[in-house]
């Protein structure tokens, strides 16, 4: 039995939630998101809380119960507060700049990398070596951050590359003479 799934999700007054025919819809100040809920579960929406309830007693052991609850909680947090990730560029001459919805990266290659930012993700470059990503959709945000990071992953000897803000790069010692 899932410990996470038993907990209810708190909803603030500025969020509008609906559950009809297996589809959960949440509207907030940052946007609107839909999700298809597994047919083994139903959603009970009360005044300021929301609970995922299994339709059968046997579905209490289903691991999708906790997963469904976590996904619904992410949707509610996304449309109300949103999510944010910060990437840091470490290396000589590594720079990032934004123009329109194209992120231009200079990462030491012979050419610049132009990354088209997906819809629903906002990108800011307050400094040339910092990229701030924000979105109401946690899945799109994580995919965009991972794609940008994949252009030049941090290497273990000098630590050069693109890393997450709070990521620790395990450093290795170089060759000995």
């Amino acid at each position: 039995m899932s410990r996470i799934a038993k907990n209810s999700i708190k909803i603030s007054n500025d969020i509008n939630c609906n559950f009809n025919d297996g589809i959960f819809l949440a509207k907030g100040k940052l946007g609107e998101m839909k999700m298809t809920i597994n047919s083994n579960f139903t959603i009970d929406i009360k005044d300021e809380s929301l609970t995922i309830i299994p339709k059968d007693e046997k579905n209490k052991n289903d691991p999708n119960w906790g997963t469904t609850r976590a996904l619904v909680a992410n949707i509610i947090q996304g449309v109300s507060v949103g999510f944010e990730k910060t990437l840091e560029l470490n290396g000589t001459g590594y720079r990032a700049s934004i123009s329109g919805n194209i992120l231009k990266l200079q990462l030491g290659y012979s050419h610049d990398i132009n990354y088209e930012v997906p819809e629903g993700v906002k990108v800011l470059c307050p400094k040339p070596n910092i990229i701030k990503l924000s979105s109401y959709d946690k899945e799109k945000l994580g995919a965009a951050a991972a794609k940008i990071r994949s252009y030049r992953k941090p290497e273990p000897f000098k630590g050069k590359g693109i890393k997450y803000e709070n990521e620790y790069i395990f450093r290795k010692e170089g060759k000995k003479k």
Side-chain angles (χ1 to χ4, degrees), residues 8-174:
S8 64
I9 304 165
K10 291 190 176 17
I11 304 171
S12 60
N13 293 334
D14 58 331
I15 300 171
N16 188 11
C17 295
N18 269 339
F19 180 66
N20 289 327
D21 300 326
I23 295 174
F24 175 72
L25 175 80
K27 289 182 186 177
K29 63 182 178 185
L30 294 179
E32 176 182 325
M33 288 185 69
K34 277 185 188 176
M35 180 185 157
T36 305
I37 303 295
N38 191 326
S39 61
N40 295 336
F41 307 105
T42 184
I43 296 179
D44 181 34
I45 301 171
K46 292 193 174 129
D47 296 334
E48 292 185 6
S49 69
L50 183 140
T51 312
I52 313 309
I53 302 169
K55 289 184 176 176
D56 256 339
E57 192 67 30
K58 66 179 181 178
N59 292 332
K60 286 192 173 184
N61 293 328
D62 189 351
N64 288 323
W65 186 21
T67 304
T68 304
R69 188 248 180 229
L71 291 173
V72 169
N74 285 342
I75 286 174
I76 290 171
Q77 183 181 348
V79 297
S80 63
V81 180
F83 296 100
E84 194 172 281
K85 285 196 181 211
T86 305
L87 298 169
E88 294 177 3
L89 282 70
N90 294 330
T92 307
Y94 287 16
R95 286 192 291 275
S97 61
I98 186 86
S99 60
N101 69 335
I102 303 287
L103 179 66
K104 184 178 175 184
L105 299 166
Q106 296 172 335
L107 301 173
Y109 295 118
S110 61
H111 59 284
D112 293 347
I113 297 170
N114 293 324
Y115 175 71
E116 190 171 332
V117 180
E119 194 175 314
V121 178
K122 293 177 188 163
V123 177
L124 293 172
C125 292
K127 293 181 182 176
N129 67 333
I130 292 178
I131 304 168
K132 289 194 175 210
L133 302 163
S134 61
S135 178
Y136 60 87
D137 191 347
K138 192 173 188 179
E139 185 178 357
K140 281 184 185 175
L141 178 71
K147 182 67 176 172
I148 293 169
R149 184 181 182 271
S150 73
Y151 291 128
R152 183 71 92 170
K153 287 187 180 172
E155 53 98 11
F157 296 102
K158 292 184 180 177
K160 293 168 67 172
I162 302 173
K163 70 179 193 83
Y164 294 110
E165 181 182 35
N166 55 0
E167 181 180 11
Y168 174 74
I169 307 301
F170 181 74
R171 303 296 287 272
K172 292 182 179 178
E173 191 175 341

